[in-house]
Amino acid sequence: MSKDTPAKLIDAAVILFAKKGFSTVTIREVAEASSANSALISYHFGGKEGLYRAVLEQQFAEVGRALLSVSTQNERPLDRIATFAWAIINLHQTNPYLLRLVNAELSTPTPSFKEVVKLYIGRNFEFICQAIREGIEVGEIKKEIQPEYAALALAGIINFYFLAKPLEQQFVTMNSDSDSEYGKQAIQIYLNGIRRNGSE
Amino acid sequence: MSKDTPAKLIDAAVILFAKKGFSTVTIREVAEASSANSALISYHFGGKEGLYRAVLEQQFAEVGRALLSVSTQNERPLDRIATFAWAIINLHQTNPYLLRLVNAELSTPTPSFKEVVKLYIGRNFEFICQAIREGIEVGEIKKEIQPEYAALALAGIINFYFLAKPLEQQFVTMNSDSDSEYGKQAIQIYLNGIRRNGSE
DNA sequence: GTCTATATTGCGATAGAC
DNA sequence: GTCTATCGCAATATAGAC
């Protein structure tokens, strides 16, 4: 059995919205890419805006699933941070459109987006902050580190690479395992950066 | 004497393009914001696209200037990297529209963007790579570090914070010197992360 | 150089047959 | 549910007076 029309439309729209941004994409484009009729977008989703909302919901459902496994583990703080970072890297690899969609909303978040994001991103942010606080308490992490800023630094070092990939490819030649190679380097730099060294 | 029309148009367009992205902004909006006539956009810049190109050029001229002062200094590698990072932070503080303009183009660069940007960003990227290579040679930086990936990590740790600021403010309360506070933490983490420790 | 008025295009949405 | 045809609108660009 082949996919039904709403699913076909969403699948095509995810790619187009991620690549070109909401306003640049036309419903005729989406229709052609999904071999459906443009009128069906209004019929099934109430319009272009409704299709976009459906796309966001489908994509963010993935985030919740991916990170559920991490937060239930119980390693030591530094290891927990590394596990989390790899989960994010894996998420971006398996779902390359997610970050682009988020990015489009970064500068001027829409109200509906804010709600969705605050839930998913806020949860992750708190998870990392907590791991850092614990790390400081048990002496694994330098006590000068401020958990909130250090959490943002981790977000930057992991996410920016995937975000700017189209630009980066103009300067660095990348192959199939550049992502995990970057992950190794980035996580190593970050953990060494916050780790409390014995001498101190 | 008041500013001439092209300058007025560019100044208004910088803000609008940064806030809303190229396709969402209408020439009528720009005209109203700059108290000029919309027809003058075609007259002076040959159209909306030409105005956008002029905006990018004006903004990126700033980047060139900011980096110039850094690259002429001649510190040791790690200090040079720190000086560079602070210059970028300062650039974002004094010019909050720049990164938003870049961000809008991150996923799908337009032709005008590619030409202007490849020059400026490529130059910065090479500058950092070179500093890292030197740092490895003189034993200041771990030899396992790969210069290209480490340069991308620095870009991420510095730029992402400013990029995602509208989102971050929902989780962290920020004040006027949060930027430099973040800068201290981020640069400290990064430099400690790549620095060769004495024992090794 | 600057204005008004308009030409032209392409969008999202819908009416109505099937 | 899906199609064709079309409406209504808003956008860029331009022609032509001043």
Side-chain angles (χ1 to χ4, degrees), chain B residues 4-5 7 22 27 31 42 85 94 116 137 156 159 165 177-178 190 198:
Chain B
D4 60 347
T5 302
F22 177 76
I27 58 168
S42 284
T94 56
V116 182
E137 275 173 32
N159 290 314
K165 234 179 156 183
D177 42 44
S178 287
Y190 182 78

Side-chain angles (χ1 to χ4, degrees), chain B residues 62-156:
Chain B
E62 208 68 39
V63 180
R65 246 171 277 138
L67 178 68
L68 205 61
S69 55
V70 175
S71 54
T72 54
Q73 298 182 356
N74 228 346
E75 305 161 290
R76 296 163 67 202
L78 280 177
D79 294 329
R80 213 187 307 155
I81 292 170
T83 304
F84 175 87
W86 279 114
I88 298 288
I89 289 170
N90 191 59
L91 177 69
H92 289 322
Q93 281 184 308
T94 56
N95 204 331
Y97 304 112
L98 179 67
L99 194 56
R100 304 277 175 88
L101 288 169
V102 175
N103 183 42
E105 298 265 6
L106 274 186
S107 46
T108 49
T110 64
S112 351
F113 181 77
K114 266 192 168 172
E115 293 170 35
V116 182
V117 161
K118 193 167 182 174
L119 182 67
Y120 289 103
I121 297 191
R123 197 184 292 162
N124 292 354
F125 180 75
E126 248 323 302
F127 178 77
I128 290 298
C129 280
Q130 187 53 34
I132 294 174
R133 280 190 216 101
E134 276 182 49
I136 295 173
E137 275 173 32
V138 302
E140 269 191 341
I141 293 175
K142 285 187 214 295
K143 60 183 188 308
E144 314 94 78
I145 292 294
Q146 296 180 23
E148 289 80 12
Y149 289 136
L152 293 180
L154 179 63

Side-chain angles (χ1 to χ4, degrees), chain A residues 14 18 59 90-101 162:
Chain A
V14 166
Q59 290 288 301
N90 191 58
L91 177 68
H92 289 321
Q93 280 183 310
T94 55
N95 204 332
Y97 304 113
L98 178 69
L99 193 57
R100 306 272 176 91
L101 289 167
F162 289 96

Side-chain angles (χ1 to χ4, degrees), chain A residues 126-191:
Chain A
E126 249 322 304
F127 178 77
I128 290 296
C129 279
Q130 188 52 35
I132 294 174
R133 279 190 216 103
E134 276 183 48
I136 295 173
E137 274 173 32
V138 301
E140 271 191 341
I141 294 176
K142 284 188 214 298
K143 60 183 188 308
E144 314 95 79
I145 293 293
Q146 296 180 22
E148 289 81 9
Y149 289 137
L152 293 181
L154 179 63
I157 212 168
I158 297 297
N159 290 314
F160 191 83
Y161 166 84
F162 289 96
L163 197 59
K165 234 178 159 185
L167 270 193
E168 289 159 2
Q169 282 167 338
Q170 302 198 338
F171 311 119
V172 195
T173 53
M174 291 187 180
N175 54 48
S176 58
D177 42 44
S178 288
D179 290 356
S180 49
E181 200 51 54
Y182 176 79
K184 274 185 222 160
Q185 291 267 318
I187 294 174
Q188 186 198 350
I189 291 173
Y190 183 78
L191 292 183

Side-chain angles (χ1 to χ4, degrees), chain A residues 56-68 71 84 88 91 98 102 112-128, chain B residues 167 170-171:
Chain A
L56 285 185
E57 274 159 20
Q58 191 230 48
Q59 290 288 301
F60 268 94
E62 206 67 39
V63 180
R65 244 171 278 137
L67 298 174
L68 206 60
S71 50
F84 175 86
I88 298 287
L91 177 68
L98 178 69
V102 174
S112 51
F113 184 76
K114 267 189 170 174
E115 292 170 33
V116 182
V117 162
K118 198 164 182 171
L119 183 66
Y120 287 105
I121 299 190
R123 194 184 296 163
N124 294 347
F125 180 76
E126 249 322 304
F127 178 77
I128 290 296
Chain B
L167 273 192
Q170 303 199 339
F171 311 119

Side-chain angles (χ1 to χ4, degrees), chain A residues 17-60:
Chain A
F17 284 142
K19 275 194 180 149
K20 306 179 56 180
F22 177 74
S23 52
T24 317
V25 174
T26 70
I27 57 169
R28 287 173 172 86
E29 266 181 293
V30 178
E32 191 179 5
S34 57
S35 350
N37 192 288
S38 70
L40 295 176
I41 291 171
S42 283
Y43 179 76
H44 288 291
F45 300 100
K48 187 185 174 182
E49 195 94 33
L51 174 59
Y52 182 64
R53 259 196 304 275
V55 164
L56 285 185
E57 274 159 20
Q58 191 230 48
Q59 290 288 301
F60 268 94

Side-chain angles (χ1 to χ4, degrees), chain B residues 152-167:
Chain B
L152 293 180
L154 179 63
I157 213 169
I158 297 296
N159 290 314
F160 191 83
Y161 166 83
F162 290 95
L163 198 59
K165 234 179 156 183
L167 273 192

